[in-house]
């Protein structure tokens, strides 16, 4: 519930340094410059800006982790909490991936919107082969087990997903409906409510952004659930097509708000025919801005989750050949115009990274390798640094040392390990960045705190091959 999220955020005032224990990396978010990130802008509006994340990318890509932690205050597992991931065979639960995502969110002060308990897709065949009581028991057991595990850690759940047929008039014909009858929806919500009374419960669907037969059907289901005290919100997936944000989207969401519900844009992407060009990207930015404004205008819009970080991470090209480029970030993590338009809509402004003053340390010493530090983003009581190691010969490992001249101390670091937290720093490569060919560079990074509030300094670094 919002209370849970607010309580967590309240702990995060000021500059927050966080570590992702499960993934072995430290990250930091600078709230002092809050309005220059989506996360800062969303925090200021008390809304969620979420992203659907991939376990593999969180595990393996430091820049992905950093961007997810810096730009978003809410996470959804793109696949890791679905039934096929959490209970692939009857009663055998596997939570490695889901746990890692929830741990990451917790370590970075982010809320989690859970996706999803009951869906006709990505549900293992052992479930689909059941009927009657056995099917109902499997559903109840699954919801109980997953909801109980994450009670107090997952703030809201898509309890049922895509239960209305595309034509809209009827419930979707699925093994759920065929096996249990339409009461399965109520049973799912009753089970989820009892399992985690503090979580907000959502019904989630696509092509319901405008007022149409399908959203009418969701509306009547929502009404019934509201009357039983079982529903808190409606998720509008919003897998949109360029230039086709429904003109009545805000009015449509408003009618659900009028039922006493929250609304949420749960899976936003806006696809275009490839290749992208300047005209299409500008249209996309305008479309994203409209959606962001709709959520901003509605006090009961709990937030927006974009369905993936970078264009290349998106499900769209695989399902709609020739379509794509639907998200906010390019594959090199640079920000698209759509990013800027969302940030602006939510009251933030983009800072051009090339104009950020970067201070680089004096000429390095060492022969087999040399290293420099640069201050990427300073704030009152800390700073984020980037370190670069240049190989002057083929390296299979490296050590860097320096001494802080003042009160600077490393609070967390990534892509480097060693004795890091004192005045005298000795750091070595981690597993993946020790081998560097002559002439090539590799990087590491860290955050510092500086108790006296002085300017962050850039000491000379000594680099030694090991
Ligand atoms: O289809 C887009 C979304 C529509 N609403 C519900 C969402 O849960 C759904 O997400 C997508 C994921 O973005 C895809 O990543 O759901 C797909 C499955 O229906 C996901 O794709 C699947 C692939 O089809 C599998 O081959 C793959 O093993 O992802 C799996 C895990 O990577």
């Amino acid at each position: 519930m919002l209370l849970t999220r607010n309580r967590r955020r309240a702990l995060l005032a000021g500059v927050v340094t966080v570590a992702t224990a499960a993934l072995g990396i430290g990250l930091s978010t600078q709230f002092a410059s809050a309005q220059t990130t989506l996360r800062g802008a969303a925090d200021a509006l008390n809304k969620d800006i979420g992203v659907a994340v991939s376990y593999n990318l969180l595990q393996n890509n430091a820049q992905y982790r950093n961007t997810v932690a810096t730009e978003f205050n809410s996470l959804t597992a793109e696949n890791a909490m679905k039934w096929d991931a959490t209970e692939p065979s009857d009663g055998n639960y596997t939570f490695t991936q889901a746990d890692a995502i929830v741990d990451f969110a917790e370590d970075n002060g982010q809320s989690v919107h859970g996706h999803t308990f009951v869906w006709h897709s990505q549900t293992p065949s052992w479930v689909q082969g059941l009927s009657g009581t056995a099917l109902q028991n499997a559903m109840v057991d699954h919801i109980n087990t997953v909801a109980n595990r994450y009670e107090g850690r997952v703030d809201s759940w898509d309890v049922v997903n895509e239960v209305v047929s595309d034509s809209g008039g009827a419930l979707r014909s699925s093994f759920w409906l065929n096996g249990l009858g339409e009461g399965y929806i109520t049973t799912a919500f009753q089970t989820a409510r009892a399992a985690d009374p503090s979580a907000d419960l959502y019904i989630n669907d696509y092509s319901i952004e405008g007022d149409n037969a399908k959203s009418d059907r969701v509306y009547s289901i929502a009404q019934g659930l509201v009357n039983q005290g079982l529903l808190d919100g409606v998720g509008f997936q919003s897998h949109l097509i360029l230039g086709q944000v429904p003109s009545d989207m805000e009015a449509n969401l408003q009618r659900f708000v009028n039922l006493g519900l929250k609304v949420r844009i749960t899976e936003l992407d806006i696809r275009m025919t490839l290749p992208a060009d300047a005209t299409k990207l500008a249209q996309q930015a305008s479309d994203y801005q409209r959606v962001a404004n709709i959520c901003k205008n509605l006090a009961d819009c709990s937030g927006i989750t974009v369905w993936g970080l970078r264009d290349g991470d998106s499900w769209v090209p695989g399902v709609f050949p020739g379509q794509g480029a639907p998200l906010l970030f390019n594959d090199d993590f640079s920000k698209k115009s759509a990013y800027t338009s969302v940030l602006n809509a939510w009251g933030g402004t983009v800072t051009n990274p090339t104009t950020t003053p970067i201070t680089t340390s004096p000429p390095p010493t060492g022969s087999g390798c040399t290293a420099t530090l640069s201050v990427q983003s300073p704030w009152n009581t800390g700073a984020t640094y980037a370190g670069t190691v240049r190989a002057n010969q083929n390296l299979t490992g490296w050590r860097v040392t320096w001494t802080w001249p003042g009160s600077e101390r490393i609070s967390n670091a990534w892509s480097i390990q060693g004795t890091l937290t004192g005045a005298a720093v000795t750091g070595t490569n981690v597993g993946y960045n020790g081998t560097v060919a002559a002439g090539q560079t590799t990087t590491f990074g860290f955050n510092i705190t500086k108790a006296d509030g002085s300017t962050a300094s850039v000491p000379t670094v000594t680099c030694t091959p090991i």
Side-chain angles (χ1 to χ4, degrees):
M1 304 194 68
L2 274 174
L3 248 189
T4 316
R5 284 198 293 275
N6 290 341
R7 192 167 62 240
R8 186 173 308 156
R9 300 250 177 88
L11 299 172
L12 294 171
V15 174
V16 178
T17 300
V18 285
T20 64
L23 297 161
I25 185 138
L27 295 167
S28 173
T29 301
Q30 184 189 340
F31 286 88
S33 60
Q35 306 294 353
T36 61
T37 61
L38 295 176
R39 182 176 183 157
D43 283 342
L45 292 178
N46 196 28
K47 291 190 187 291
D48 286 347
I49 184 72
V51 60
V53 291
S54 140
Y55 167 79
N56 285 334
L57 285 165
L58 269 189
Q59 195 75 3
N60 297 320
N61 188 324
Q63 213 174 343
Y64 183 89
R65 285 193 290 274
N66 208 354
T67 308
V68 166
T70 306
E71 292 289 349
F72 298 92
N73 62 14
S74 170
L75 300 188
T76 294
E78 185 175 358
N79 289 296
M81 284 190 178
K82 292 172 181 174
W83 197 315
D84 61 354
T86 51
E87 194 189 5
S89 62
D90 191 356
N92 292 321
Y93 286 91
T94 54
F95 289 116
T96 312
Q97 299 198 1
D99 281 356
I101 290 170
V102 175
D103 286 346
F104 184 95
E106 201 156 77
D107 291 342
N108 289 291
Q110 297 163 307
S111 60
V112 177
H113 180 79
H115 176 80
T116 177
F117 292 140
V118 177
W119 191 22
H120 61 277
S121 178
Q122 281 177 292
T123 303
S125 52
W126 72 264
V127 184
Q128 303 195 31
L130 302 174
S131 60
T133 309
L135 180 59
Q136 171 138 333
N137 288 346
M139 182 181 84
V140 168
D141 177 72
H142 185 80
I143 295 173
N144 275 333
T145 304
V146 181
N148 283 337
R149 183 178 188 85
Y150 296 113
E151 186 172 0
R153 304 181 74 203
V154 167
D155 304 82
S156 46
W157 280 104
D158 293 333
V159 176
V160 299
N161 189 38
E162 302 174 1
V163 297
V164 174
S165 72
D166 286 345
S167 57
L171 291 182
R172 176 184 296 277
S173 173
S174 69
F175 65 91
W176 292 116
L177 183 67
N178 299 337
L180 297 177
E182 61 182 57
Y184 83 91
I185 297 174
T186 304
T187 307
F189 277 93
Q190 284 168 333
T191 308
R193 183 66 97 209
D196 183 354
S198 71
D200 275 353
L201 304 184
Y202 281 72
I203 183 171
N204 193 49
D205 217 321
Y206 62 86
S207 298
I208 59 167
E209 294 74 32
D211 189 336
N212 55 38
K214 191 169 179 180
S215 61
D216 284 351
R217 181 69 198 208
V218 172
Y219 184 86
S220 68
I221 297 170
Q223 250 176 336
L225 291 167
V226 166
N227 290 341
Q228 299 169 81
L230 295 174
L231 188 69
D232 303 298
V234 177
F236 300 80
Q237 292 187 8
S238 307
H239 296 292
L240 301 176
I241 295 169
L242 193 71
Q244 295 187 23
V245 180
S247 56
D248 59 358
M249 184 166 171
E250 183 167 340
N252 184 48
L253 268 58
Q254 180 69 57
R255 70 174 170 145
F256 286 89
V257 167
N258 293 345
L259 289 177
L261 292 168
K262 293 174 186 168
V263 292
R264 185 179 181 93
I265 314 293
T266 46
E267 304 182 14
L268 181 59
D269 47 35
I270 303 179
R271 61 184 182 265
M272 61 183 69
T273 302
L274 298 172
D277 61 28
T279 308
K280 295 178 199 170
L281 291 168
Q283 175 67 51
Q284 183 183 52
S286 151
D287 292 346
Y288 263 101
Q289 188 151 31
R290 281 192 55 201
V291 176
N293 277 328
I294 289 167
C295 188
K296 183 184 173 191
N297 292 344
L298 295 169
D300 291 308
C301 178
S302 62
I304 295 176
T305 294
V306 286
W307 203 244
L309 183 64
R310 300 167 298 173
D311 284 342
D313 303 328
S314 171
W315 67 289
V316 166
V319 174
F320 298 104
Q323 301 279 306
L327 296 170
L328 299 181
F329 288 82
N330 293 306
D331 292 350
D332 63 359
F333 296 95
S334 58
K335 296 160 181 168
K336 296 169 60 183
S337 304
Y339 169 99
T340 307
S341 70
V342 173
L343 181 61
N344 291 342
W346 279 19
T349 47
V350 169
T351 52
N352 182 350
T354 58
T355 63
T356 304
I358 293 183
T359 328
T360 305
S361 51
T365 61
S367 53
C369 57
T370 51
T372 52
L373 300 179
S374 61
V375 179
Q376 298 293 302
S377 52
W379 61 91
N380 288 347
T381 56
T384 299
Y385 284 68
T388 303
V389 171
R390 171 171 294 280
N392 300 325
Q393 63 183 50
N394 288 334
L395 299 177
T396 53
W398 45 264
R399 177 188 303 114
V400 289
T401 59
W402 69 88
T403 302
W404 293 112
S407 66
E408 299 91 345
R409 295 292 180 269
I410 292 178
S411 53
N412 57 56
W414 48 97
S415 308
I416 187 170
Q417 59 191 348
T419 307
L420 303 177
T421 54
V425 177
T426 300
T428 58
N429 59 278
V430 292
Y432 79 88
N433 66 354
T435 299
V436 191
Q440 301 299 303
T441 60
T442 190
T443 58
F444 60 92
F446 56 85
N447 294 314
I448 61 145
T449 58
K450 47 186 174 63
D452 63 5
S454 60
T455 304
S457 54
V458 275
T460 303
V461 183
T462 302
C463 186
T464 319
I466 55 175

PDB file of all heavy atoms in Angstrom, residues 78-79 82 115 119 121-122 161-162 237 239 267 307 315, ligand 1:
ATOM      1  N   GLU A  78      10.181  -8.610 -14.940  1.00  0.00           N
ATOM      2  CA  GLU A  78       9.558  -8.799 -16.253  1.00  0.00           C
ATOM      3  C   GLU A  78       9.065 -10.232 -16.411  1.00  0.00           C
ATOM      4  O   GLU A  78       8.021 -10.477 -17.022  1.00  0.00           O
ATOM      5  CB  GLU A  78      10.535  -8.455 -17.377  1.00  0.00           C
ATOM      6  CG  GLU A  78       9.892  -8.531 -18.751  1.00  0.00           C
ATOM      7  CD  GLU A  78      10.795  -8.082 -19.883  1.00  0.00           C
ATOM      8  OE1 GLU A  78      11.940  -7.671 -19.609  1.00  0.00           O
ATOM      9  OE2 GLU A  78      10.358  -8.134 -21.054  1.00  0.00           O
ATOM     10  N   ASN A  79       9.793 -11.177 -15.876  1.00  0.00           N
ATOM     11  CA  ASN A  79       9.391 -12.586 -15.968  1.00  0.00           C
ATOM     12  C   ASN A  79       9.564 -13.374 -14.670  1.00  0.00           C
ATOM     13  O   ASN A  79       8.941 -14.415 -14.490  1.00  0.00           O
ATOM     14  CB  ASN A  79      10.191 -13.287 -17.080  1.00  0.00           C
ATOM     15  CG  ASN A  79       9.760 -12.837 -18.472  1.00  0.00           C
ATOM     16  OD1 ASN A  79       8.626 -13.069 -18.886  1.00  0.00           O
ATOM     17  ND2 ASN A  79      10.658 -12.161 -19.183  1.00  0.00           N
ATOM     18  N   LYS A  82       6.620 -14.760 -12.467  1.00  0.00           N
ATOM     19  CA  LYS A  82       5.525 -15.490 -13.102  1.00  0.00           C
ATOM     20  C   LYS A  82       5.550 -16.950 -12.649  1.00  0.00           C
ATOM     21  O   LYS A  82       6.548 -17.457 -12.134  1.00  0.00           O
ATOM     22  CB  LYS A  82       5.658 -15.365 -14.622  1.00  0.00           C
ATOM     23  CG  LYS A  82       5.412 -13.935 -15.106  1.00  0.00           C
ATOM     24  CD  LYS A  82       5.741 -13.764 -16.575  1.00  0.00           C
ATOM     25  CE  LYS A  82       5.505 -12.320 -17.028  1.00  0.00           C
ATOM     26  NZ  LYS A  82       5.951 -12.089 -18.417  1.00  0.00           N
ATOM     27  N   HIS A 115       4.242  -9.039 -10.341  1.00  0.00           N
ATOM     28  CA  HIS A 115       3.580  -9.463 -11.583  1.00  0.00           C
ATOM     29  C   HIS A 115       3.924 -10.923 -11.821  1.00  0.00           C
ATOM     30  O   HIS A 115       5.094 -11.204 -12.020  1.00  0.00           O
ATOM     31  CB  HIS A 115       4.079  -8.590 -12.740  1.00  0.00           C
ATOM     32  CG  HIS A 115       3.558  -8.957 -14.091  1.00  0.00           C
ATOM     33  ND1 HIS A 115       2.318  -8.589 -14.532  1.00  0.00           N
ATOM     34  CD2 HIS A 115       4.107  -9.658 -15.117  1.00  0.00           C
ATOM     35  CE1 HIS A 115       2.148  -9.031 -15.773  1.00  0.00           C
ATOM     36  NE2 HIS A 115       3.210  -9.684 -16.142  1.00  0.00           N
ATOM     37  N   TRP A 119      -2.493 -16.032 -14.622  1.00  0.00           N
ATOM     38  CA  TRP A 119      -2.414 -15.630 -16.035  1.00  0.00           C
ATOM     39  C   TRP A 119      -2.556 -16.877 -16.873  1.00  0.00           C
ATOM     40  O   TRP A 119      -2.164 -17.974 -16.439  1.00  0.00           O
ATOM     41  CB  TRP A 119      -1.050 -14.941 -16.284  1.00  0.00           C
ATOM     42  CG  TRP A 119      -0.896 -14.248 -17.604  1.00  0.00           C
ATOM     43  CD1 TRP A 119      -1.888 -13.792 -18.414  1.00  0.00           C
ATOM     44  CD2 TRP A 119       0.349 -13.934 -18.253  1.00  0.00           C
ATOM     45  NE1 TRP A 119      -1.344 -13.189 -19.535  1.00  0.00           N
ATOM     46  CE2 TRP A 119       0.024 -13.267 -19.453  1.00  0.00           C
ATOM     47  CE3 TRP A 119       1.690 -14.130 -17.943  1.00  0.00           C
ATOM     48  CZ2 TRP A 119       1.000 -12.822 -20.346  1.00  0.00           C
ATOM     49  CZ3 TRP A 119       2.664 -13.685 -18.819  1.00  0.00           C
ATOM     50  CH2 TRP A 119       2.326 -13.020 -20.007  1.00  0.00           C
ATOM     51  N   SER A 121      -0.960 -17.300 -19.621  1.00  0.00           N
ATOM     52  CA  SER A 121       0.315 -17.517 -20.311  1.00  0.00           C
ATOM     53  C   SER A 121       1.418 -17.724 -19.276  1.00  0.00           C
ATOM     54  O   SER A 121       1.274 -17.334 -18.119  1.00  0.00           O
ATOM     55  CB  SER A 121       0.613 -16.284 -21.176  1.00  0.00           C
ATOM     56  OG  SER A 121       1.840 -16.425 -21.826  1.00  0.00           O
ATOM     57  N   GLN A 122       2.528 -18.299 -19.704  1.00  0.00           N
ATOM     58  CA  GLN A 122       3.656 -18.553 -18.801  1.00  0.00           C
ATOM     59  C   GLN A 122       3.212 -19.245 -17.507  1.00  0.00           C
ATOM     60  O   GLN A 122       3.718 -18.967 -16.434  1.00  0.00           O
ATOM     61  CB  GLN A 122       4.430 -17.264 -18.504  1.00  0.00           C
ATOM     62  CG  GLN A 122       5.362 -16.890 -19.663  1.00  0.00           C
ATOM     63  CD  GLN A 122       6.093 -15.587 -19.439  1.00  0.00           C
ATOM     64  OE1 GLN A 122       5.472 -14.522 -19.427  1.00  0.00           O
ATOM     65  NE2 GLN A 122       7.394 -15.652 -19.260  1.00  0.00           N
ATOM     66  N   ASN A 161      -4.215 -11.339 -14.503  1.00  0.00           N
ATOM     67  CA  ASN A 161      -3.673 -10.641 -15.655  1.00  0.00           C
ATOM     68  C   ASN A 161      -4.394 -11.094 -16.921  1.00  0.00           C
ATOM     69  O   ASN A 161      -4.479 -12.290 -17.187  1.00  0.00           O
ATOM     70  CB  ASN A 161      -2.170 -10.974 -15.763  1.00  0.00           C
ATOM     71  CG  ASN A 161      -1.459 -10.139 -16.802  1.00  0.00           C
ATOM     72  OD1 ASN A 161      -1.752  -8.956 -16.950  1.00  0.00           O
ATOM     73  ND2 ASN A 161      -0.531 -10.746 -17.519  1.00  0.00           N
ATOM     74  N   GLU A 162      -4.928 -10.139 -17.647  1.00  0.00           N
ATOM     75  CA  GLU A 162      -5.492 -10.392 -18.982  1.00  0.00           C
ATOM     76  C   GLU A 162      -6.651 -11.397 -18.960  1.00  0.00           C
ATOM     77  O   GLU A 162      -6.662 -12.353 -19.729  1.00  0.00           O
ATOM     78  CB  GLU A 162      -4.371 -10.852 -19.937  1.00  0.00           C
ATOM     79  CG  GLU A 162      -3.253  -9.826 -20.036  1.00  0.00           C
ATOM     80  CD  GLU A 162      -2.044 -10.297 -20.845  1.00  0.00           C
ATOM     81  OE1 GLU A 162      -2.071 -11.421 -21.366  1.00  0.00           O
ATOM     82  OE2 GLU A 162      -1.064  -9.526 -20.951  1.00  0.00           O
ATOM     83  N   GLN A 237      -1.973  -1.792 -18.954  1.00  0.00           N
ATOM     84  CA  GLN A 237      -0.642  -2.169 -19.438  1.00  0.00           C
ATOM     85  C   GLN A 237      -0.046  -1.088 -20.346  1.00  0.00           C
ATOM     86  O   GLN A 237       1.113  -0.732 -20.231  1.00  0.00           O
ATOM     87  CB  GLN A 237      -0.709  -3.508 -20.179  1.00  0.00           C
ATOM     88  CG  GLN A 237      -1.017  -4.689 -19.271  1.00  0.00           C
ATOM     89  CD  GLN A 237      -0.913  -6.030 -19.988  1.00  0.00           C
ATOM     90  OE1 GLN A 237      -0.464  -6.126 -21.146  1.00  0.00           O
ATOM     91  NE2 GLN A 237      -1.314  -7.091 -19.298  1.00  0.00           N
ATOM     92  N   HIS A 239       0.631  -1.032 -23.775  1.00  0.00           N
ATOM     93  CA  HIS A 239       1.547  -1.362 -24.875  1.00  0.00           C
ATOM     94  C   HIS A 239       1.008  -0.611 -26.098  1.00  0.00           C
ATOM     95  O   HIS A 239       0.159  -1.119 -26.833  1.00  0.00           O
ATOM     96  CB  HIS A 239       1.592  -2.873 -25.116  1.00  0.00           C
ATOM     97  CG  HIS A 239       2.156  -3.617 -23.950  1.00  0.00           C
ATOM     98  ND1 HIS A 239       3.488  -3.509 -23.592  1.00  0.00           N
ATOM     99  CD2 HIS A 239       1.600  -4.459 -23.046  1.00  0.00           C
ATOM    100  CE1 HIS A 239       3.719  -4.264 -22.527  1.00  0.00           C
ATOM    101  NE2 HIS A 239       2.584  -4.845 -22.175  1.00  0.00           N
ATOM    102  N   GLU A 267       2.707  -1.307 -17.852  1.00  0.00           N
ATOM    103  CA  GLU A 267       3.672  -1.938 -18.771  1.00  0.00           C
ATOM    104  C   GLU A 267       3.931  -1.032 -19.973  1.00  0.00           C
ATOM    105  O   GLU A 267       3.928  -1.483 -21.126  1.00  0.00           O
ATOM    106  CB  GLU A 267       3.156  -3.305 -19.250  1.00  0.00           C
ATOM    107  CG  GLU A 267       2.819  -4.261 -18.122  1.00  0.00           C
ATOM    108  CD  GLU A 267       2.356  -5.639 -18.602  1.00  0.00           C
ATOM    109  OE1 GLU A 267       2.539  -5.969 -19.784  1.00  0.00           O
ATOM    110  OE2 GLU A 267       1.816  -6.385 -17.765  1.00  0.00           O
ATOM    111  N   TRP A 307       8.009  -0.925 -19.641  1.00  0.00           N
ATOM    112  CA  TRP A 307       8.185  -2.388 -19.742  1.00  0.00           C
ATOM    113  C   TRP A 307       9.556  -2.724 -20.355  1.00  0.00           C
ATOM    114  O   TRP A 307       9.666  -3.253 -21.450  1.00  0.00           O
ATOM    115  CB  TRP A 307       7.026  -3.017 -20.522  1.00  0.00           C
ATOM    116  CG  TRP A 307       6.860  -4.474 -20.186  1.00  0.00           C
ATOM    117  CD1 TRP A 307       7.022  -5.539 -21.026  1.00  0.00           C
ATOM    118  CD2 TRP A 307       6.511  -5.031 -18.905  1.00  0.00           C
ATOM    119  NE1 TRP A 307       6.809  -6.719 -20.340  1.00  0.00           N
ATOM    120  CE2 TRP A 307       6.488  -6.436 -19.047  1.00  0.00           C
ATOM    121  CE3 TRP A 307       6.229  -4.474 -17.649  1.00  0.00           C
ATOM    122  CZ2 TRP A 307       6.195  -7.302 -17.977  1.00  0.00           C
ATOM    123  CZ3 TRP A 307       5.938  -5.324 -16.590  1.00  0.00           C
ATOM    124  CH2 TRP A 307       5.927  -6.716 -16.767  1.00  0.00           C
ATOM    125  N   TRP A 315      10.480  -6.732 -25.428  1.00  0.00           N
ATOM    126  CA  TRP A 315       9.811  -7.902 -26.007  1.00  0.00           C
ATOM    127  C   TRP A 315       9.240  -7.602 -27.387  1.00  0.00           C
ATOM    128  O   TRP A 315       8.921  -8.507 -28.144  1.00  0.00           O
ATOM    129  CB  TRP A 315       8.646  -8.313 -25.099  1.00  0.00           C
ATOM    130  CG  TRP A 315       7.547  -7.272 -25.079  1.00  0.00           C
ATOM    131  CD1 TRP A 315       7.597  -6.030 -24.486  1.00  0.00           C
ATOM    132  CD2 TRP A 315       6.269  -7.344 -25.733  1.00  0.00           C
ATOM    133  NE1 TRP A 315       6.431  -5.331 -24.707  1.00  0.00           N
ATOM    134  CE2 TRP A 315       5.594  -6.124 -25.469  1.00  0.00           C
ATOM    135  CE3 TRP A 315       5.629  -8.313 -26.488  1.00  0.00           C
ATOM    136  CZ2 TRP A 315       4.316  -5.852 -25.958  1.00  0.00           C
ATOM    137  CZ3 TRP A 315       4.345  -8.042 -26.973  1.00  0.00           C
ATOM    138  CH2 TRP A 315       3.710  -6.815 -26.711  1.00  0.00           C
TER     139      TRP A 315
HETATM  140  O1  LIG B   1       3.982  -9.650 -23.864  1.00  0.00           O
HETATM  141  C1  LIG B   1       4.267  -8.444 -23.235  1.00  0.00           C
HETATM  142  C2  LIG B   1       3.675  -8.371 -21.831  1.00  0.00           C
HETATM  143  C3  LIG B   1       2.172  -8.371 -21.908  1.00  0.00           C
HETATM  144  N1  LIG B   1       1.583  -8.271 -20.580  1.00  0.00           N
HETATM  145  C4  LIG B   1       2.026  -9.257 -19.617  1.00  0.00           C
HETATM  146  C5  LIG B   1       3.539  -9.298 -19.545  1.00  0.00           C
HETATM  147  O2  LIG B   1       3.954 -10.315 -18.667  1.00  0.00           O
HETATM  148  C6  LIG B   1       4.138  -9.519 -20.920  1.00  0.00           C
HETATM  149  O3  LIG B   1       5.566  -9.566 -20.759  1.00  0.00           O
HETATM  150  C7  LIG B   1       6.254 -10.387 -21.631  1.00  0.00           C
HETATM  151  C8  LIG B   1       7.737 -10.277 -21.341  1.00  0.00           C
HETATM  152  O4  LIG B   1       8.145  -8.949 -21.611  1.00  0.00           O
HETATM  153  C9  LIG B   1       8.524 -11.226 -22.237  1.00  0.00           C
HETATM  154  O5  LIG B   1       9.899 -11.259 -21.840  1.00  0.00           O
HETATM  155  O6  LIG B   1       5.840 -11.715 -21.454  1.00  0.00           O
HETATM  156  C10 LIG B   1       6.443 -12.583 -22.388  1.00  0.00           C
HETATM  157  C11 LIG B   1       5.846 -13.960 -22.269  1.00  0.00           C
HETATM  158  O7  LIG B   1       4.493 -13.932 -22.558  1.00  0.00           O
HETATM  159  C12 LIG B   1       7.945 -12.631 -22.155  1.00  0.00           C
HETATM  160  O8  LIG B   1       8.571 -13.402 -23.139  1.00  0.00           O
HETATM  161  C13 LIG B   1       9.116 -14.583 -22.734  1.00  0.00           C
HETATM  162  C14 LIG B   1       9.533 -15.334 -23.981  1.00  0.00           C
HETATM  163  O9  LIG B   1       8.379 -15.536 -24.784  1.00  0.00           O
HETATM  164  C15 LIG B   1      10.098 -16.653 -23.606  1.00  0.00           C
HETATM  165  O10 LIG B   1      10.558 -17.317 -24.748  1.00  0.00           O
HETATM  166  C16 LIG B   1      11.221 -16.457 -22.593  1.00  0.00           C
HETATM  167  O11 LIG B   1      11.677 -17.705 -22.134  1.00  0.00           O
HETATM  168  O12 LIG B   1      10.244 -14.407 -21.899  1.00  0.00           O
HETATM  169  C17 LIG B   1      10.726 -15.629 -21.408  1.00  0.00           C
HETATM  170  C18 LIG B   1      11.796 -15.386 -20.375  1.00  0.00           C
HETATM  171  O13 LIG B   1      12.836 -14.626 -20.915  1.00  0.00           O
END
